[in-house]
Amino acid sequence: MSTERYVSTRDALRMSEGSEVRLRGWVYRWRDLGKRVFIVLRDSAGIIQVVAKRGFTPENYISVAREADVESSIVVEGVIHRDPRAPGGAEVWARRLEIVGPSRDFPIKGGESIEYLLDKRHLWIRSRRLTTLMKLRHKLFQSYREYFNGKGYYEVSPPMLTQAAVEGGATLFKVDFFGKPAYLTQSAQFYLEALIFSLEKVWTLAPSFRAERSRTRRHLYEYWHLEVEAAWSRMRDMMNLAEELISHTVNSLLNNALEELALIGRRTEELEPARKPGYPIIEYEEAIRILQRKGVNIRYGDDLGADEERILTQEYETPFFIIYYPAELKSFYMKPRPERPDQVLAFDMLAPNVGEIIGGSEREDNYEALKKRIIERGYNVEEYEWYLDLRKYGSVPHSGFGLGVERQLMWLAGLDHIRDAIPFPRFRDRIYP
Ligand code: 4AD
Ligand code: MG
């Protein structure tokens, strides 16, 4: 079978009247009208309608078509018939059909609840919507690589099993490492920092894990984290890189993924303004004032939660930065702002409809200052010994950031919930499938 030539549904749709074709795929939809059986055949490229009909298809193969239930895998041989009424403008009149793997009573029929579909994720992943989102995700990943290759960054591979917290102890997943405690990584940042002393500019795309306490529409327990770190780089340099990266990915999808964006019903005109870098920048203090003006009960020093972020994102049609947060709201490793040491050289990027997609900063590069901050926060200095070492041997100014890939995809694809931005989301009440 595999030595024979097959065409994809996409190629078949482009072929001329009367072309002989052989296709393989799965039964997406199925209708028996007596004299004719209509099968919508699905493969990784798309769908095409197959017709088995009396007077053209031999009787025994019409019977096969009748038995080809939803999600059976099949091979079809036939002839292209161009017909403007057929989806995609052409269909296949079948001469021969073969069921490769039967499917009886596929458990998803339409109209099921979200919870049910999560239980059946291993099957639901075949849906057109999820297939399209996975293709978008693939194209997004490609555009990240394109960007960093063009910028001379090294792609590196940090560990997933770690011994200390990067973003605080509250969201750590503990694992048993041969009788000793270890943790699933929250961020590759410290390892990237170690690598800049030789490679200077590094990035990685890897899972991060957060034992988030609440289930929200933009939190995953396991998510994919794009992280960047560069020696000699100041906060502003890193912000420029971040917005260049984001605008590059927007251009890339608007140029190469219009089909996918249309299939999921994305209004692409909403993404157009984000093609160009130069996203707005506001200080945290200004963000607080904007919120107060809008009647939000918030004061300088309060953290910005999901609600506050939503109100702020409504002010802009592109992603934007919030910078200079009060130090106590942010991580211990961030460098204080020289003219306001109670604030840090930190930046978040917020995207429309989603809120924070990037968190970054310039890092504290002074040994004593960093050690002092570790102690002030009540952390165990021993666990950070190697991280402190980086400031002992040839320290340099450096900055970096982390981008939540599913959050970016949520924005790009216009999703209300993060779960469909990743093929198999993990949930608190189940690791299944
Ligand atoms: O803001 P965060 O916690 O920053 C860091 O981890 C830094 N160490 C990154 C760095 O500078 N190298 O996380 C970075 C981004 C967030 O802006 C968000 O997009 C995403 O990671 N993120 C999550 N995405 C999905 N589910 C979660 N539970 C997430 N937690 C963070
Ligand atoms: Mg953050």
Side-chain angles (χ1 to χ4, degrees):
M1 209 162 64
S2 55
T3 55
E4 295 165 0
R5 276 182 59 83
Y6 291 87
V7 295
S8 70
T9 53
R10 178 192 303 273
D11 289 344
L13 283 173
R14 292 204 198 101
M15 293 169 85
S16 53
E17 175 74 25
S19 307
E20 301 271 342
V21 289
R22 185 182 288 131
L23 295 111
R24 55 186 167 188
W26 291 263
V27 175
Y28 180 61
R29 276 196 221 105
W30 181 94
R31 242 173 345 138
D32 183 358
L33 301 184
K35 280 193 211 138
R36 289 160 189 248
V37 181
F38 289 93
I39 287 174
V40 178
L41 179 77
R42 168 179 73 70
D43 67 5
S44 62
I47 54 172
I48 193 168
Q49 178 161 282
V50 175
V51 192
K53 55 178 190 168
R54 279 219 185 112
F56 186 90
T57 312
E59 269 313 311
N60 56 323
Y61 290 126
I62 293 183
S63 313
V64 174
R66 248 177 216 126
E67 276 163 34
D69 219 339
V70 168
E71 288 304 321
S72 309
S73 50
I74 60 171
V75 168
V76 179
E77 285 172 27
V79 176
I80 293 292
H81 174 60
R82 305 230 47 105
D83 184 342
R85 289 165 307 173
E91 59 189 19
V92 180
W93 289 5
R95 281 235 167 83
R96 201 181 79 83
L97 288 109
E98 183 194 332
I99 296 176
V100 178
S103 164
R104 289 270 165 266
D105 202 18
F106 191 66
I108 301 169
K109 299 186 166 37
E112 287 89 357
S113 71
I114 288 168
E115 290 298 315
Y116 180 85
L117 292 174
L118 283 172
D119 270 339
K120 299 278 183 261
R121 187 73 167 191
H122 53 300
L123 302 174
W124 181 230
I125 201 75
R126 303 179 186 189
S127 66
R128 274 205 113 189
R129 183 183 138 81
L130 286 182
T131 303
T132 306
L133 287 170
M134 292 310 113
K135 288 181 183 177
L136 272 178
R137 188 179 161 106
H138 158 78
K139 291 187 174 180
L140 182 60
F141 276 41
Q142 274 191 325
S143 72
Y144 293 142
R145 294 226 153 75
E146 239 166 57
Y147 177 76
F148 286 112
N149 285 338
K151 285 271 156 185
Y153 271 71
Y154 287 101
E155 186 169 358
V156 297
S157 307
M160 304 292 105
L161 286 169
T162 64
Q163 132 283 359
V166 177
E167 297 301 331
T171 61
L172 278 178
F173 277 112
K174 203 168 175 177
V175 296
D176 178 83
F177 194 72
F178 301 110
K180 294 214 177 81
Y183 307 100
L184 297 179
T185 184
Q186 295 169 311
S187 160
Q189 182 188 323
F190 294 176
Y191 295 97
L192 299 194
E193 286 188 60
L195 286 159
I196 60 156
F197 294 89
S198 50
L199 298 172
E200 296 195 29
K201 300 192 289 185
V202 300
W203 76 288
T204 190
L205 184 47
S208 276
F209 301 86
R210 307 272 171 118
E212 303 285 354
R213 269 162 296 181
S214 51
R215 186 169 162 172
T216 78
R217 66 179 195 101
R218 58 178 201 169
H219 284 98
L220 289 164
Y221 300 103
E222 176 183 31
Y223 72 97
W224 283 69
H225 205 172
L226 186 160
E227 296 187 86
V228 187
E229 198 73 29
W232 317 107
S233 169
R234 301 291 187 178
M235 174 172 123
R236 286 297 168 131
D237 304 320
M238 223 3 99
M239 289 169 63
N240 290 342
L241 189 89
E243 69 173 358
E244 233 183 73
L245 169 70
I246 299 303
S247 66
H248 174 84
T249 59
V250 170
N251 278 297
S252 175
L253 292 193
L254 286 178
N255 297 341
N256 307 314
L258 279 181
E259 192 183 324
E260 288 85 356
L261 290 166
L263 265 172
I264 54 167
R266 180 66 165 120
R267 294 157 54 104
T268 50
E269 64 275 16
E270 290 177 3
L271 294 173
E272 286 291 333
R275 275 185 187 267
K276 277 202 304 289
Y279 300 159
I281 302 172
I282 56 170
E283 294 189 16
Y284 164 88
E285 199 159 11
E286 219 173 313
I288 296 294
R289 277 201 301 271
I290 295 172
L291 288 166
Q292 286 170 340
R293 236 184 292 128
K294 296 199 167 282
V296 180
N297 181 16
I298 193 166
R299 275 178 320 184
Y300 185 96
D302 291 345
D303 210 353
L304 304 176
D307 290 339
E308 289 77 28
E309 287 190 2
R310 188 174 36 77
I311 294 167
L312 290 170
T313 57
Q314 283 162 358
E315 298 285 293
Y316 307 95
E317 52 175 8
T318 65
F320 63 98
F321 290 102
I322 304 180
I323 61 173
Y324 300 150
Y325 287 80
E328 65 271 17
L329 290 183
K330 291 291 187 186
S331 304
F332 72 92
Y333 53 72
M334 294 182 179
K335 199 179 168 76
R337 184 183 174 196
E339 61 276 31
R340 280 285 303 265
D342 60 314
Q343 298 178 343
V344 279
L345 296 174
F347 59 93
D348 278 4
M349 188 192 285
L350 277 64
N353 179 45
V354 178
E356 181 189 340
I357 61 170
I358 285 180
S361 69
E362 190 163 327
R363 320 306 192 188
E364 179 55 76
D365 49 17
N366 178 276
Y367 180 86
E368 292 304 333
L370 186 62
K371 186 167 179 180
K372 190 166 154 256
R373 223 137 334 115
I374 291 171
I375 293 165
E376 274 169 11
R377 297 238 176 162
Y379 301 153
N380 179 358
V381 180
E382 266 159 42
E383 282 173 17
Y384 295 94
E385 208 67 63
W386 71 262
Y387 186 60
L388 282 162
D389 266 359
L390 305 179
R391 278 75 182 162
K392 256 185 10 204
Y393 307 104
S395 193
V396 284
H398 63 287
S399 307
F401 66 82
L403 162 70
V405 166
E406 289 80 14
R407 288 203 184 169
Q408 195 198 353
L409 188 54
M410 233 180 124
W411 164 55
L412 292 171
L415 308 179
D416 309 321
H417 197 289
I418 199 164
R419 69 171 85 84
D420 288 345
I422 189 165
F424 296 100
R426 308 294 61 183
F427 291 101
R428 179 174 296 233
D429 40 348
R430 72 172 88 132
I431 304 194
Y432 178 90

